Amino acid sequence: MKKIQLRNEEETKKLAFDIASLSQKGDIFLLTGELGAGKTTFTKGFAQGLGIEQMIKSPTYTLIREYDTGRLPLYHMDVYRLTEGATDLGLDEYLEGDGVCVIEWGQMIIADIFSPYIELFLDKVSNEERAFHMRATSPSATEKMKQLQINLSNLGWDL
């Protein structure tokens, strides 16, 4: 999968904005990256792309924050502090809901996600710069990702 360079926080938010503007009900995105890689920054841009104007804060201690003032509801999750699997948390309600899920540290609960999803990687290159790439996890997610790449290409992104 091709990686693209995001030179700063604004480019990270812009890419997230564009992905969100192309998102549909039921989409699930896992955000993978080390601490400080920009996962919450990405989610802020994503929320703006859905038309959500509320301040976006990391749900590290609350696990899930719901934002329902945009084109689609956004279910923003952070499972970093989860010590056991997600099966008892009722995440299916969100994963199969009417909105879009963005899950920070989602790689920690992959075994508990049975719906198709796209994993988004943010790799820290420097204080400002990030490398970004995507990976699909099923045939239907692969089709979704291919269409997303085409649409993002039309918006000027070389994925």
Side-chain angles (χ1 to χ4, degrees):
M1 177 55 53
K2 183 176 181 177
K3 289 186 179 186
I4 62 168
Q5 297 302 114
L6 302 170
R7 292 176 295 190
N8 52 44
E9 202 172 280
E10 290 310 310
E11 282 190 4
T12 300
K13 286 182 182 177
K14 174 66 173 130
L15 175 61
F17 181 100
D18 289 345
I19 291 173
S21 70
L22 300 167
S23 294
Q24 300 171 356
K25 170 185 166 182
D27 285 351
I28 301 170
F29 297 100
L30 274 58
L31 290 178
T32 299
E34 64 186 273
L35 281 170
K39 294 179 293 295
T40 301
T41 296
F42 184 94
T43 305
K44 289 176 182 181
F46 195 95
Q48 291 171 345
L50 291 176
I52 297 168
E53 296 179 10
Q54 290 170 262
M55 182 181 3
I56 303 299
K57 298 189 309 190
S58 177
T60 300
Y61 296 100
T62 58
L63 188 63
I64 301 169
R65 290 191 188 272
E66 296 180 49
Y67 303 93
D68 59 4
T69 58
R71 177 177 63 84
L72 294 167
L74 171 61
Y75 309 126
H76 179 202
M77 304 173 201
D78 184 329
V79 296
Y80 181 72
R81 297 198 178 280
L82 207 59
T83 56
E84 297 182 21
T87 52
D88 296 333
L89 294 175
L91 293 184
D92 290 345
E93 171 185 332
Y94 297 100
L95 298 174
E96 298 168 6
D98 292 332
V100 178
C101 292
V102 173
I103 308 172
E104 295 186 36
W105 300 99
Q107 75 275 14
M108 296 174 74
I109 61 166
I110 285 175
D112 298 318
I113 300 175
F114 301 106
S115 301
Y117 62 87
I118 296 173
E119 193 166 9
L120 308 175
F121 296 87
L122 288 167
D123 300 316
K124 214 172 172 180
V125 176
S126 68
N127 281 345
E128 290 290 318
E129 197 171 354
R130 303 293 181 261
F132 173 87
H133 68 282
M134 301 185 285
R135 179 177 67 94
T137 58
S138 69
S140 62
T142 299
E143 286 306 310
K144 176 86 177 156
M145 188 177 77
K146 285 179 184 176
Q147 189 59 52
L148 183 61
Q149 288 172 311
I150 291 167
N151 292 335
L152 286 169
S153 177
N154 292 336
L155 295 173
W157 295 102
D158 185 21
L159 290 169

